[in-house]
Amino acid sequence: KNSPNAIEYLEKCIYPQYVVVIENQPSLNGAELIKSTEEKGIKHRFIVVSSINTVSNAVETIKAGADDYFVSQNLSEKEIFLLVEKNWGLPLNSKKSKTALDIERFEKILLIRLYVSDLSLTHT
């Protein structure tokens, strides 16, 4: 079960880049939180960081709609955010809109594809 405060808070957020759910509290379950927000029509992107190191929990969370799932034990909140930033390549405190970040990420992917395509002409 989830803290009602978490859902109330997420109802008030307007287009956060990501919601990082840290599952180190017994009352907070990432998969249930994602399902609860979707039932209320709240459409945010979620990254779940959990101390539960089981495949079933990871699969359940991703199926619920999480964009990513990390297993982390004994990390501080700052270390968790650094882990997420490193793996997603975007600062979580960015002031850019979700659309601008998606466009920027898409442009980077296109540039990398172009580079690989050009490289394939001269390399096996």
Side-chain angles (χ1 to χ4, degrees), residues 11-12 14 20 23 29 38 42 49 52 70 74 117:
E11 284 179 311
K12 295 175 187 172
I14 300 173
V20 178
E23 284 187 328
N29 178 292
E38 286 187 1
I42 302 168
V49 181
I52 303 169
F70 295 100
N74 302 324
S117 177

Side-chain angles (χ1 to χ4, degrees), residues 32-49:
E32 289 180 17
L33 178 64
I34 294 167
K35 290 173 188 174
S36 296
T37 57
E38 286 187 1
E39 288 170 3
K40 290 187 169 266
I42 302 168
K43 304 273 185 204
H44 293 322
R45 299 175 76 180
F46 290 88
I47 298 171
V48 176
V49 181

Side-chain angles (χ1 to χ4, degrees), residues 63-76:
K63 281 185 176 180
D67 287 290
D68 210 341
Y69 182 90
F70 295 100
V71 175
S72 170
Q73 296 183 16
N74 302 324
L75 289 180
S76 70

Side-chain angles (χ1 to χ4, degrees), residues 97-111:
S97 70
K98 178 179 176 278
T99 305
L101 288 168
D102 287 343
I103 290 169
E104 194 174 295
R105 177 178 276 166
F106 180 72
E107 288 172 349
K108 286 179 183 178
I109 291 170
L110 285 179
L111 287 173

Side-chain angles (χ1 to χ4, degrees), residues 73-88:
Q73 296 183 16
N74 302 324
L75 289 180
S76 70
E77 190 173 303
K78 182 179 179 181
E79 291 170 321
I80 289 171
F81 281 102
L82 290 173
L83 170 74
V84 171
E85 284 182 13
K86 179 182 174 191
N87 284 280
W88 277 80

